[in-house]
């Protein structure tokens, strides 16, 4: 056992004295030591139940003959961090989580790990750590929140942000907004739509790193506790069989994940996280293949914010496995990939049933013949940008209009809420990328303000920042190169005509190469004075099209 390096032999007698100071018995030390990585805290609603999940995992590990030992991972609540300087500290935690987990796991020589994340950055951060460490690892999340209900209709966090926009437009009262605030997030769990946390938890099932139901069983269901116990048992079985993350997270598994990303209509943030996870697994995952995969993959789900269904509905309809079963009928999945169950993808989904073809469309009746995400290129984004096509109304799939240019999110929000943005405009928000932000803030506030003010079907938004999975509309992010790295988005001027064709995967500004060259002469990208961790991050981070991984990793 790997843990023998820390606990066995005369040389490790001092370490054994410290283990005994923890209250561990000789019987417990004789067993494999399994690290339980807990993201529990009291500031993230998706994490407030993780103490119960962790206890259940510990029981499962112990029942299967292991000794569970808990250590923490941090997590930021994106919804609480949204719209102020706090959002600069969201994406950057992904690498802190991966690095600190690596430190804890190797310093203490754990034999195996169970990751217990739930929200936006600690799911991919812990997947990055699992790929890097390559010791037997299982994921079990805290589960999604139930949808809120207002006047008989299901609502979620995206409805809340859009209510603020509606208030600015004068179509909702302050009392209406507070009623939403009291009702849209009724339980613990990751927010109830196909936002980033739920997207990544669902893709953990697809990758083979989580058990069936990990992405969809609601946080408040007792089934989630049973799932956690089985996760603890599963990691012990993996340890016996020596099944490790890189045996599971292969090139084929990542192609499966991108395919299901398209079918499920996941958050655009998946296009930032999957390449970063693949990078840690030694797999090159270029975003260019996304359009190729999208072209052959139908979109079968329209969960909020794209449609009126929620994670609880997907769970009742059969969950991720049922969607995989539908997609497998087209021969689009590699069914031979290994998973944490010790079985292949094909064996896992064999008995999956689609119980509600309104929530999970059949391949004969998809929402669209192509996938939920599109990667665009053009003279505005030579290295690519990303849009959640499944959340764009048909009339905005092709759009052209004058650029309304802002060098930060706050200025754009002031203009939108001040009524200065009109139908047909293209809002451009720059210097919000990984380096320029720094931290690549999510733009849920401006997209929600646009939707709330009734402009969602007539105004596009383009940024070198990124979008929450709760964003909808023609919201185009991850523009690369970003403005701070000298990207053409930094050369856009007020009134330039921007042409967007999502079906053709193009995005251009109607400005000649000669004019762009003239603008570039004497132009220097803006910089921001930052210090501490943000400065170190800005110095090390790479472009969004590379997954915003850090140099040297």
């Amino acid at each position: 056992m790997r843990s023998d390096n820390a606990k066995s032999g005369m040389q490790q007698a001092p370490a054994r004295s410290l283990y005994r100071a923890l209250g561990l018995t000789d019987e417990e030390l004789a067993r494999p030591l399994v690290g339980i990585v807990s993201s529990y805290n009291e500031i993230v609603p998706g994490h407030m139940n993780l103490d119960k999940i962790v206890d259940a995992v510990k029981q499962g590990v112990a029942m299967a003959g292991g000794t569970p030992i808990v250590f923490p991972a941090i997590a930021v609540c994106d919804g609480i961090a949204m719209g102020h300087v706090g959002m600069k500290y969201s994406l950057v935690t992904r690498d802190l989580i991966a690095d600190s987990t690596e430190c804890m796991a190797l310093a203490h020589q754990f034999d195996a790990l169970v990751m217990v994340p739930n929200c936006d950055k600690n799911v991919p951060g812990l997947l990055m750590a699992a790929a890097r460490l390559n010791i037997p690892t299982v994921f079990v999340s805290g589960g999604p929140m139930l949808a809120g209900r207002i006047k008989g209709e299901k609502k979620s966090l995206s409805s809340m942000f859009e209510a603020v926009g509606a208030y600015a437009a004068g179509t909702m009262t302050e009392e209406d907004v507070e009623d939403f605030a009291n009702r849209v997030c009724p339980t613990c769990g990751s927010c109830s739509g196909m936002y980033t946390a739920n997207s990544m938890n669902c893709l953990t099932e697809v990758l083979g790193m989580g058990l069936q139901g990990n992405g969809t069983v609601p946080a408040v269901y007792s089934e989630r506790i049973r799932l956690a116990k089985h996760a603890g048992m599963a990691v012990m079985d993996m340890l016996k069989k020596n099944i490790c993350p890189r045996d599971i997270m292969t090139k084929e598994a990542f192609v499966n994940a991108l395919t299901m990303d398209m079918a499920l209509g996941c958050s655009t943030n998946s296009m930032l996280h999957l390449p970063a996870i693949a990078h840690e697994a030694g797999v090159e995952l270029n975003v260019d293949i996304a359009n190729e995969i999208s072209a052959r993959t139908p979109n079968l789900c329209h969960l909020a914010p794209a449609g009126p269904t929620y994670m609880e509905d997907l769970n009742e309809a059969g969950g991720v496995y049922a969607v995989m079963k539908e997609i497998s009928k087209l021969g689009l999945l590699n069914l031979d990939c290994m998973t944490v169950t010790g079985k292949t993808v094909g064996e896992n989904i064999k008995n999956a049933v689609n119980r509600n073809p309104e929530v999970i469309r059949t391949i004969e009746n998809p929402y669209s013949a192509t996938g939920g995400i599109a990667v665009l290129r053009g003279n505005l984004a030579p290295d690519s940008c990303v849009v959640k096509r499944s959340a764009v109304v048909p009339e905005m799939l092709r759009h052209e209009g004058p650029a309304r240019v802002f060098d930060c999110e706050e200025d754009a929000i002031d203009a939108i809420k001040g009524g200065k943005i009109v139908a047909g405009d293209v809002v451009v928000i720059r210097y919000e990328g990984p380096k320029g932000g720094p931290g690549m803030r999510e733009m849920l506030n401006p997209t929600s303000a646009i939707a709330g003010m009734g402009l969602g079907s007539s105004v596009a938004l383009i940024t070198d920042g990124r979008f929450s999975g709760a964003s909808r509309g023609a919201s185009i992010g991850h523009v690369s190169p970003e403005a701070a790295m000298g990207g053409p988005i930094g050369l856009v001027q007020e009134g330039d005509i921007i042409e967007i064709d999502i079906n053709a995967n193009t995005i251009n500004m109607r400005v000649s190469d000669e004019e762009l060259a003239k603008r570039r002469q004497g132009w220097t990208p803006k910089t921001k004075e930052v210090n501490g961790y943000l400065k170190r991050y800005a110095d090390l981070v790479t472009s969004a099209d590379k997954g915003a991984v850090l140099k040297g990793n």
Side-chain angles (χ1 to χ4, degrees), residues 2 7 110 114 135 195 197 215 260 311 337 369 473 486 524 528 544 547:
R2 178 191 301 265
K7 67 186 183 184
F110 286 108
V114 179
I135 61 177
Y195 309 148
M260 291 303 300
M311 295 306 296
C337 292
T524 302
K528 296 174 183 173

Side-chain angles (χ1 to χ4, degrees), residues 490-506:
L491 302 175
V492 180
Q493 293 182 359
E494 188 81 8
D496 285 346
I497 299 301
I498 307 264
E499 301 173 331
I500 302 162
D501 192 332
I502 293 173
N503 286 331
N505 305 117
T506 61

Side-chain angles (χ1 to χ4, degrees), residues 38-235:
S38 171
S39 298
Y40 170 77
N41 63 49
E42 295 183 340
I43 189 63
V44 185
H47 294 215
M48 62 182 286
N49 65 321
L50 294 192
D51 54 343
K52 295 176 177 61
I53 302 297
V54 167
D55 285 345
V57 171
K58 290 171 67 178
Q59 291 178 55
V61 168
M63 284 190 287
T67 297
I69 300 176
V70 180
F71 65 88
I74 64 170
V76 164
C77 178
D78 280 24
I80 294 174
M82 196 76 66
H84 55 87
V85 69
M87 181 45 67
K88 293 178 184 288
Y89 287 90
S90 173
L91 178 62
V92 304
T93 64
R94 188 184 70 178
D95 295 276
L96 279 175
I97 291 161
D99 292 349
S100 60
T101 301
E102 173 194 356
C103 292
M104 289 294 290
L106 294 183
H108 301 100
Q109 293 290 286
F110 286 108
D111 297 297
L113 298 170
V114 179
M115 307 294 199
V116 188
N118 209 27
C119 290
D120 292 21
K121 306 311 167 304
N122 65 331
V123 179
L126 290 177
L127 280 166
M128 289 166 66
R132 189 185 301 175
L133 291 163
N134 202 36
I135 61 177
T137 303
V138 173
F139 277 69
V140 57
S141 77
M145 184 183 290
L146 295 179
R149 282 168 173 77
I150 298 177
K151 297 179 181 178
E153 293 185 2
K154 290 184 179 181
K155 299 290 182 180
S156 63
L157 185 66
S158 55
S159 308
M160 185 70 252
F161 278 88
E162 290 177 16
V164 175
Y167 173 76
T171 58
M172 285 185 73
T173 67
E174 184 175 349
E175 290 74 19
D176 291 334
V177 173
E178 283 306 308
D179 187 46
F180 268 58
N182 283 323
R183 297 174 185 271
V184 296
C185 296
T187 71
C188 62
S190 47
C191 299
S192 56
M194 187 56 84
Y195 309 148
T196 303
N198 292 326
S199 294
M200 294 310 302
N201 279 323
C202 286
L203 294 180
T204 300
E205 282 191 59
V206 179
L207 281 170
M209 291 297 294
L211 300 177
Q212 181 178 10
N214 182 56
T216 62
V217 174
V220 294
Y221 284 13
S222 297
E223 183 182 353
R224 175 66 54 179
I225 300 297
R226 298 196 298 273
L227 180 67
K229 291 176 182 176
H230 282 123
M233 297 178 204
V235 82

Side-chain angles (χ1 to χ4, degrees), residues 359-430:
V359 175
I360 303 172
R361 292 280 186 94
T362 63
I363 57 172
E364 294 82 14
N365 181 39
Y367 281 102
S368 64
T370 54
I373 289 178
V375 175
L376 316 182
R377 286 179 184 271
N379 69 353
L380 184 58
D383 291 344
S384 76
C385 55
V386 180
V387 61
K388 187 171 182 175
R389 176 165 44 196
S390 60
V392 179
V393 293
E395 56 266 36
M396 288 298 290
L397 291 172
R398 192 179 188 286
H399 179 78
E400 66 177 61
R404 306 299 308 280
V405 184
F406 304 93
D407 288 344
C408 68
E409 176 190 7
E410 288 83 355
D411 289 350
I413 292 171
D414 288 344
I416 295 165
K417 292 184 177 179
K420 297 177 181 178
I421 303 301
V422 299
D425 284 349
V426 179
V427 176
V428 177
I429 306 177
R430 60 195 180 192

Side-chain angles (χ1 to χ4, degrees), residues 247-312:
D247 301 320
I248 295 170
M249 290 192 280
T250 61
K251 176 74 172 181
E252 293 75 17
F254 282 104
V255 172
N256 281 352
L258 277 174
T259 300
M260 291 303 300
D261 193 332
M262 302 299 171
L264 288 162
C266 292
S267 163
T268 52
N269 279 315
S270 62
M271 299 302 294
L272 196 65
H273 298 320
L274 285 174
I277 299 160
H279 179 76
E280 295 288 355
V283 173
E284 183 178 350
L285 192 66
N286 193 314
V287 295
D288 283 339
I289 69 171
N291 286 336
E292 176 188 336
I293 291 172
S294 179
R296 63 177 185 251
T297 308
N299 176 228
L300 304 184
C301 298
H302 261 196
L303 283 80
T309 53
Y310 295 81
M311 295 306 296
E312 62 198 69

